[in-house]
Amino acid sequence: MWMNCGSFFRSIFLLLSFHQVTHVLAQSPATYSSGEILHGIQKLKVAASVLYIAAHPDDENTRLLTYLSKEKKYRTAYLSLTRGDGGQNLIGKEQGLALGLIRTQELLAARRIDGAEQFFTSAHDFGYSKTKEETLKQWDRQKILAEVVWVIRQFRPQVIITRFPPDQRAGHGHHAASALLAAEAFDVAADSTQFPEQFQYGVKPWKTTRLLWNTYQFGSGNTTGSDQFHINVGGYNPLLGKTYGTIAALSRSCHKSQGFGVSAQEGEMKEYFVNVKGDSTEKDFILQLDHYRPAYTIPFLRQVEKIEKSFQLTHPAASVSKISKLYQFLKSQSNTEWKNQKLNELLTLLEACLGLQADAFTQQEFAVKNDSLQVQCTVLHHSGLPIRLRSIRLSGMQDDTHNLNRLLIPNVILKDTFSCYVNAHSPEIDPACSIVFELEIDGMKYTLTKPVVYKFTDPVKGEIRWPLTVVPPIAFSIQPSLLILKDTGAPTVQLEIKRYANQFDRKLNIWLQNRKESCLLDSIFLTAQQRQVKLSLQLSQQFLRDSPFIRLTESGNTYHQSVRQIEYDHIPRMVYRSDVKLNPVKVSVNVAAKKIGYINGAGDEVPEAMRQLGLMVEELTEADMTLSRIKQFDAIVMGIRAYNVHAWLTDAHKVFESYVKQGGVVLLQYNTASSVGPLKNKQWPFAFTISRQRVCEENTPVTLLQPSHPLLCFPNKITQVDFEGWVQERSIYEAQPKGEGFIPLLSMNDSGEASQQGSLLVNDLGKGRFIYTGLTFFRQLAAGVPGAYRLWANLVANPDFSTLPLQP
């Protein structure tokens, strides 16, 4: 039974296409060395394709992808079922949607390096899962199966390779589910009775010849075997000037949010495979792929071989005429499975051999709805051959053509400018608009399409190119949007209004509204000289119910979105819009602390959550690690993965120990025991280790092992009710104490597993206490879970309340 997929497959196609082209938008115009051009000519002779399938960004085997793409020159792609939005973040505070955007761009950056293509499905990364059954239930098995089938029918691989097996050896329910769905899709994609609605979008049933499992050795787990087929993916490519180990390491190191920077592995690198489905008569699938030749390629191959033999490394333009004739020959042939792919490769080779640079950019950071946009176009070539620029056409926001019919002079830039209007219905996807260059090369017409980018110069980084994004004239944000209501008072929020429109002299009305009623909070006049306005608003609790939100109005227009930006050096800047909503949560909570010192880790929103409780929070650095400095705080809290990002924390142990003995509280949130950070060093005077144990079922019952312990009694009495409404998971990276001293306070487990007691441990030392927790407070507090706030207030309460705060 297939869903109504008319609009669905249009959105999927746009989604896949979008994430294949956005990587171009933030890059300088591509240039190619003579070695890379020759490598591209050799690739024309190869028709085989391989699709690699796994669950997450960073699951892919970049060593194998690099070898298949660069050495064997197969068309290679990775299908990640999720975008990793339920994972963790080592480089910032982003979680959920924002983290998924980061990890998507990290995947695209990796593909730019290893040469493979990238696809996704809409499967949601809902966090760690221990079974494929839970995963498939969360994902909607039929929906995700249909999307995997769509990618197979669109990409048409000869061989599919999975990273994981469909069982417990995969180590993660998402991993096992990805292998199971790949095996199902292998059969279903060839069946014309399955998901026939897809055929109206240009795909056909596709029979893949083989399904393989790429076995592995991760840590102590080894699924490889001497009876398995294996290949050596190591080696050096003289045309590219790099080893495959170097390329693979550069690709792998793009996953910076996951802390996956690696060194290059050189020399022999073996990859092992098990045949799962399909033709197994030929064990060597590489030999099978090397012999794959569609019928139409024989005359095509002969011409490619002539181009390869005559190619001049010091004069690539000498091959332009032959490449142009081959392009026209292939264009005249009937449609085949590889025609469009090879036409695109030939067009890229033409650009490269000519040293042709066609560029389209604006110096306006955003394309603003109901406003104008100036686009600059430049064309330059270095070949010395006659090239005529017939026209330049603006596509996307509006259609406008400049007929030029100009002969391009080598090494002289031809410039043109477009002025366009960004109407209210302009697409809010990247690229926002494109420029189509129509050229005449060697007597033949060609079109090149380039996305319009925002280009500027940074005084430190040099030229920066960012995707051009469509934004509304007015956007705004509210801090905090999560409102912890401890009493009946009117909470105060900070409203920040940002003007993107070039001209705007109007009165803005600010409304607080829910589904039943609304009230006018304030009115301001925004002038052309004001780009940004900040003001405080008091919100009546009468309106903080029934899905409340804030909107701005003026002259019949309504604004209700924020414009958010994500910016890191290793990926393009990302801009996304979201509706501004309020999330009021009533919490009956007592607070017995006043001042908290917070040591940021990899990034979380816990300090903001504590401020919602009325606590004063100061963020501390290495320079603050003295006893006289930290004694002024009721508790010192370490952010998630603090030991993974701060080597200096180990040196502060003696200070922490003295602080605790004098009555302070040190609260350590979860860390990982990986080689990412300095956890190989001693964490604390107490003996405990960090495991990989976790409890994934967010609603699993919790047993209070010490119900009368102060941490469960003061200032809030913790009961089973406080563990209701938790999100994604209960705990991760639980602790395992060694020897005496630690007291476990909670017990919990996933279905069918033994009880675990490492989610919340306390060790009293002198007048104070040290606490380790694997409970996912960073998720629960951000989600507004009342019980998490009550328990957190207990954890940061000082043991000796009569001496708050501690005196130096």
Side-chain angles (χ1 to χ4, degrees), residues 61-71 114 244 247-248:
N61 183 345
T62 58
R63 301 195 322 179
L64 181 60
L65 294 181
T66 298
Y67 175 80
L68 295 176
S69 173
K70 302 295 188 182
E71 170 63 23
D114 60 38
Y244 299 128
I247 297 172

Side-chain angles (χ1 to χ4, degrees), residues 35-215:
E36 290 169 326
I37 294 173
L38 182 54
H39 187 268
I41 292 172
Q42 294 172 350
K43 187 179 177 69
L44 289 171
K45 299 186 293 184
V46 181
S49 58
V50 178
L51 179 63
Y52 201 86
I53 298 179
H56 309 108
D58 74 34
D59 283 345
E60 79 275 24
N61 183 345
T62 58
R63 301 195 322 179
L64 181 60
L65 294 181
T66 298
Y67 175 80
L68 295 176
S69 173
K70 302 295 188 182
E71 170 63 23
K72 303 309 297 181
K73 305 177 184 66
Y74 304 149
R75 189 183 178 202
T76 307
Y78 173 47
L79 170 57
S80 175
L81 299 194
T82 77
R83 296 175 185 266
D85 45 303
Q88 299 157 36
N89 185 0
L90 191 64
I91 62 174
K93 296 181 179 182
E94 295 86 0
Q95 295 292 329
L97 168 66
L99 178 58
L101 291 173
I102 291 172
R103 298 187 70 183
T104 293
Q105 288 294 340
E106 288 179 338
L107 265 182
L108 294 172
R111 299 295 80 79
R112 289 195 290 274
I113 293 171
D114 60 38
E117 299 173 49
Q118 185 62 53
F119 294 99
F120 301 91
T121 75
S122 62
H124 171 51
D125 181 355
F126 56 89
Y128 188 85
S129 174
K130 293 182 179 179
T131 68
K132 61 179 180 287
E133 289 78 16
E134 179 198 25
T135 297
L136 293 171
K137 181 179 179 180
Q138 291 278 349
W139 280 356
D140 186 342
R141 180 174 184 158
Q142 279 297 98
K143 178 175 182 289
I144 304 305
L145 173 62
E147 295 174 18
V148 177
V149 168
W150 167 261
V151 173
I152 293 172
R153 287 172 172 172
Q154 183 190 38
F155 186 70
R156 296 172 300 203
Q158 279 70 53
V159 172
I160 295 174
I161 302 174
T162 66
R163 189 45 167 154
F164 301 104
D167 52 44
Q168 289 297 321
R169 291 174 297 174
H172 193 313
H174 298 181
H175 294 169
S178 72
L180 183 66
L181 288 170
E184 290 184 15
F186 176 87
D187 296 322
V188 171
D191 188 344
S192 62
T193 67
Q194 296 288 322
F195 308 119
E197 294 88 349
Q198 296 182 359
F199 303 145
Q200 64 183 301
Y201 299 102
V203 298
K204 297 178 181 179
W206 179 257
K207 177 64 176 177
T208 304
T209 59
R210 298 179 73 176
L211 174 65
L212 303 171
W213 168 34
N214 177 203
T215 59

Side-chain angles (χ1 to χ4, degrees), residues 260 270 324 387 682 804:
F260 279 169
K270 290 184 178 181
S324 178
I387 303 175
K682 186 172 67 171
L804 286 177

Side-chain angles (χ1 to χ4, degrees), residues 240-259:
L240 304 179
K242 293 183 177 70
T243 66
Y244 299 128
T246 296
I247 297 172
L250 291 172
S251 174
R252 183 68 172 170
S253 297
C254 289
H255 296 294
K256 299 185 188 304
S257 67
Q258 305 306 296

Side-chain angles (χ1 to χ4, degrees), residues 454-665:
Y454 165 52
K455 185 174 78 170
F456 66 100
T457 301
D458 182 276
V460 176
K461 301 174 184 177
E463 182 180 292
I464 304 292
R465 302 167 71 88
W466 282 343
L468 177 65
T469 308
V470 176
V471 298
I474 297 292
F476 65 99
S477 61
I478 297 174
Q479 291 295 333
S481 58
L482 172 66
L483 303 174
I484 301 302
L485 307 178
K486 298 185 297 178
D487 50 40
T488 59
T492 300
V493 298
Q494 302 300 313
L495 177 70
E496 180 176 339
I497 303 172
K498 190 165 185 179
R499 174 178 64 85
Y500 292 97
N502 292 326
Q503 299 294 327
F504 197 97
D505 289 280
R506 301 171 199 170
K507 178 182 177 182
L508 279 173
N509 296 315
I510 306 169
W511 298 85
L512 173 60
Q513 184 171 341
N514 58 33
R515 287 181 293 186
K516 296 180 180 179
E517 53 189 341
S518 63
C519 69
L520 181 65
L521 295 175
D522 203 346
S523 296
I524 63 168
F525 194 86
L526 193 62
T527 69
Q529 288 71 42
Q530 294 174 295
R531 278 287 179 185
Q532 194 167 301
V533 174
K534 297 181 180 180
L535 62 157
S536 296
L537 299 173
Q538 280 197 320
L539 308 181
S540 169
Q541 287 202 31
Q542 172 188 345
F543 295 91
L544 294 179
R545 57 190 177 190
D546 298 321
S547 303
F549 62 94
I550 287 181
R551 61 184 174 92
L552 311 183
T553 62
E554 54 84 18
S555 303
N557 298 312
T558 299
Y559 306 105
H560 56 87
Q561 287 189 320
S562 66
V563 174
R564 303 185 182 186
Q565 302 183 35
I566 301 173
E567 186 178 340
Y568 291 99
D569 286 345
H570 67 296
I571 53 177
R573 181 189 69 165
M574 289 166 283
V575 178
Y576 67 101
R577 297 158 298 281
S578 60
D579 290 340
V580 178
K581 297 180 180 179
L582 294 168
N583 182 19
V585 179
K586 289 193 175 184
V587 181
S588 176
V589 56
N590 299 310
V591 179
K594 295 180 179 178
K595 197 172 182 181
I596 306 297
Y598 199 83
I599 301 173
N600 279 307
D604 56 58
E605 302 291 342
V606 172
E608 290 79 359
M610 287 194 286
R611 293 185 181 105
Q612 289 260 16
L613 289 174
L615 295 167
M616 294 181 291
V617 182
E618 288 189 31
E619 297 181 10
L620 308 179
T621 65
E622 181 179 8
D624 296 306
M625 295 300 103
T626 64
L627 184 59
S628 60
R629 172 75 170 109
I630 69 174
K631 281 175 65 177
Q632 64 183 287
F633 299 103
D634 299 328
I636 302 297
V637 180
M638 299 186 200
I640 61 173
R641 301 182 73 167
Y643 276 86
N644 291 119
V645 296
H646 300 310
W648 51 264
L649 277 175
T650 300
D651 299 329
H653 283 168
K654 291 295 183 182
V655 175
F656 292 147
E657 186 175 356
S658 298
Y659 166 74
V660 171
K661 285 180 178 178
Q662 294 185 32
V665 173

